[in-house]
Amino acid sequence: MKHTVPANEAQARFLAILKEVENSRIEVLVTRDGMPVARVVPIEPRATRSIEELRGSVEILGDIVGPLNEEWDAAK
């Protein structure tokens, strides 16, 4: 479903139109003299996770910052 907005209205309400597209996930078609000139479309949300969602998903096995107590070839 598309929502159509005349260009002069789109100019006056641009930030509100962006918010509408973001919230409703519906494309807005901008027209001038009844002819389409632009589309404002939602982008796919990024698949990110918050720190809270990640909490507990990692297990640390031992000291991750201390010395290894073993000699590396590069150290020879």
Side-chain angles (χ1 to χ4, degrees):
M1 181 177 167
K2 294 180 189 174
H3 180 85
T4 302
V5 176
N8 61 341
E9 181 182 337
Q11 181 179 8
R13 296 186 43 240
F14 186 69
L15 294 177
I17 290 170
L18 288 180
K19 191 69 144 173
E20 177 184 339
V21 170
E22 180 182 24
N23 292 337
S24 69
R25 314 295 301 157
I26 294 174
E27 168 180 320
V28 172
L29 183 65
V30 180
T31 62
R32 181 181 296 133
D33 299 324
M35 300 298 296
V37 294
R39 285 186 295 168
V40 181
V41 297
I43 60 171
E44 294 299 318
R46 289 178 29 185
T48 59
R49 293 167 60 183
S50 71
I51 295 296
E52 288 303 316
E53 291 174 307
L54 294 172
R55 192 174 306 283
S57 66
V58 174
E59 182 179 352
I60 298 173
L61 302 173
D63 183 357
I64 62 172
V65 293
L68 297 174
N69 296 328
E70 58 185 67
E71 192 172 325
W72 292 15
D73 289 337
K76 292 181 182 179

